[in-house]
């Protein structure tokens, strides 16, 4: 067994069936601290390249003419140690990282305090945005107020959808559609695309089609076949709440574990 397979087997054992939908199971791993195999120690270079090179798609974090300094708000659910949150703020977004684990949030603050120099401001004329780390369950309104009360211009999902049991994917899509501002963009760094969904998780194997189908029908509990795939040939009526895929490409750089396999999709209303 490869190291990756070993780690995945151990994660599967820790969580059991459906266990990764239970917040306390994540906190148990973070609190112990000896086994957090998803942690890569740095922001994903795919996100960095996107923020640098695809302003045609996602716009800019702040208009230079906006002297009041109103910045776009970015959001990273299940942010782990917060690397991608700190990256987003270095690019000029006011960035919020959400974690259900209190211990992970402490690690985020440590990363910011001890390694803040790794996240130098990218554009002096824009400056850095704030970074804020929030405790809460993605699915709960406790940290947002009522549904739709809190919205973000940019949302980044990496290793969050795959962390959830497949039975929660329709709720993930609904929540994303509520959290996305009217002109906002959802960035999904699709991972793991090469893992057979029959092998369980987390991380649960995904296909690009999973994002397409769920985001087209936020909240609809789409059926899967016995092999864990969305069956071919099932169509649904147009849904006014649908998120549409604005772009889909294979990033030149990503974390080693997703090399030559990860894709990026960017979604809007
Ligand atoms: N994105 C990070 C962490 C991935 S692991 C990285 O790539 O390093 C998934 C993370 O999601 C864990 O840190 C876990 O604590 C968090 N998480 C799981 N369920 C959650 C939920 N319902 N709400 C918020 N965070 C959650």
């Amino acid at each position: 067994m490869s190291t990756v397979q070993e780690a995945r087997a151990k994660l599967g054992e820790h969580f059991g069936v459906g266990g990764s939908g239970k917040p306390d199971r994540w906190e148990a791993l973070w609190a112990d601290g000896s086994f957090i195999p998803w942690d890569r120690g740095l922001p994903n270079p795919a996100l960095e390249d996107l923020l640098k090179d695809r302003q045609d798609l996602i716009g800019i974090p702040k208009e230079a003419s906006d002297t009041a300094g109103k910045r776009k708000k970015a959001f990273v659910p299940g942010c782990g140690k917060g690397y991608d949150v700190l990256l987003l703020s270095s690019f000029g977004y006011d960035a919020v990282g959400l974690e259900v684990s209190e211990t992970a949030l402490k690690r985020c603050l440590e990363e910011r305090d001890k390694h803040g120099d790794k996240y130098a401001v990218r554009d002096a004329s824009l400056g850095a945005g704030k970074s804020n780390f929030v405790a809460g369950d993605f699915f709960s309104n406790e940290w947002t107020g009522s549904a739709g009360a809190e919205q973000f211009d940019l949302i980044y999902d990496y290793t969050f959808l795959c962390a959830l049991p497949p039975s929660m994917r329709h709720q993930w899509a609904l929540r994303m559609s509520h959290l996305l501002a009217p002109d906002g963009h959802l960035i999904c760094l699709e991972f793991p695309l090469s893992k057979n969904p029959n092998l369980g998780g987390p991380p649960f194997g995904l296909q690009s089609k999973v994002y397409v189908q769920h985001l087209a029908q936020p909240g609809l509990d789409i059926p899967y076949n016995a092999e864990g795939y969305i069956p071919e040939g099932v169509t649904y009526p147009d849904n006014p709440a649908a998120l549409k895929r604005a772009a889909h490409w294979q990033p030149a750089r990503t974390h080693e574990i997703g090399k030559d396999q990860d894709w990026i999709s960017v979604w809007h209303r």
Side-chain angles (χ1 to χ4, degrees):
M1 248 204 248
S2 74
T3 332
V4 172
Q5 281 168 331
E6 269 167 23
R8 286 181 175 173
K10 201 168 156 189
L11 277 174
E13 229 167 82
H14 169 80
F15 284 104
V17 176
S20 68
K22 297 186 186 126
D24 58 323
R25 303 303 296 143
W26 288 98
E27 171 57 18
L29 285 181
W30 278 110
D32 173 68
S34 65
F35 180 64
I36 41 173
W38 56 83
D39 190 72
R40 307 276 162 244
L42 75 172
N44 196 307
L47 177 63
E48 183 180 352
D49 291 346
L50 186 157
L51 294 172
K52 222 166 46 194
D53 303 332
R54 293 309 310 266
Q55 298 187 343
D56 61 313
L57 192 61
I58 59 165
I60 50 175
K62 177 167 133 353
E63 298 297 337
S65 61
D66 185 353
T67 44
K70 199 169 165 307
R71 296 172 184 279
K72 284 192 188 163
K73 279 167 48 179
F75 176 57
V76 184
C79 67
K81 289 196 190 175
Y83 314 113
D84 296 317
V85 180
L86 296 169
L87 182 77
L88 282 156
S89 83
S90 77
F91 270 88
Y93 290 89
D94 278 339
V96 174
L98 181 76
E99 255 301 331
V100 82
S101 156
E102 295 278 353
T103 307
L105 286 171
K106 284 192 203 140
R107 300 288 163 267
C108 292
L109 298 180
E110 280 168 18
E111 176 68 14
R112 187 172 66 187
D113 292 348
K114 290 191 189 151
H115 303 291
D117 51 334
K118 286 198 300 192
Y119 305 91
V121 174
R122 295 302 172 125
D123 177 340
S125 67
L126 275 178
K130 293 195 230 33
S131 55
N132 194 8
F133 296 101
V134 174
D137 180 342
F138 176 72
F139 297 99
S140 155
N141 285 336
E142 267 169 35
W143 62 276
T144 48
S146 57
E150 173 88 90
Q151 291 193 315
F152 299 92
D153 304 296
L154 201 70
I155 304 182
Y156 173 64
D157 186 299
Y158 174 60
T159 54
F160 183 60
L161 178 60
C162 72
L164 302 170
S167 60
M168 294 176 79
R169 287 177 184 168
H170 63 295
Q171 291 164 270
W172 168 89
L174 184 65
R175 188 72 171 147
M176 283 298 189
S177 76
H178 288 159
L179 291 170
L180 192 65
D183 295 321
H185 291 90
L186 165 65
I187 299 167
C188 296
L189 180 46
E190 301 178 359
F191 168 89
L193 297 181
S194 60
K195 185 178 177 189
N196 187 321
N198 251 343
L199 294 173
F204 292 90
L206 286 163
Q207 304 83 48
S208 292
K209 188 179 172 178
V210 167
Y211 296 85
V212 173
Q213 292 280 38
H214 282 285
L215 291 171
Q217 308 292 333
L220 185 73
D221 194 1
I222 293 171
Y224 283 71
N225 65 23
E227 286 76 45
Y229 294 97
I230 294 176
E232 295 298 328
V234 184
T235 55
Y236 298 97
D238 281 350
N239 185 325
L243 298 188
K244 300 194 178 73
R245 196 167 67 183
H248 192 214
W249 73 92
Q250 199 160 20
R253 299 193 300 152
T254 185
H255 284 322
E256 190 60 30
I257 192 158
K259 198 167 179 279
D260 300 326
Q261 287 164 19
D262 291 356
W263 280 69
I264 292 181
S265 49
V266 178
W267 305 82
H268 61 168
R269 291 190 194 283

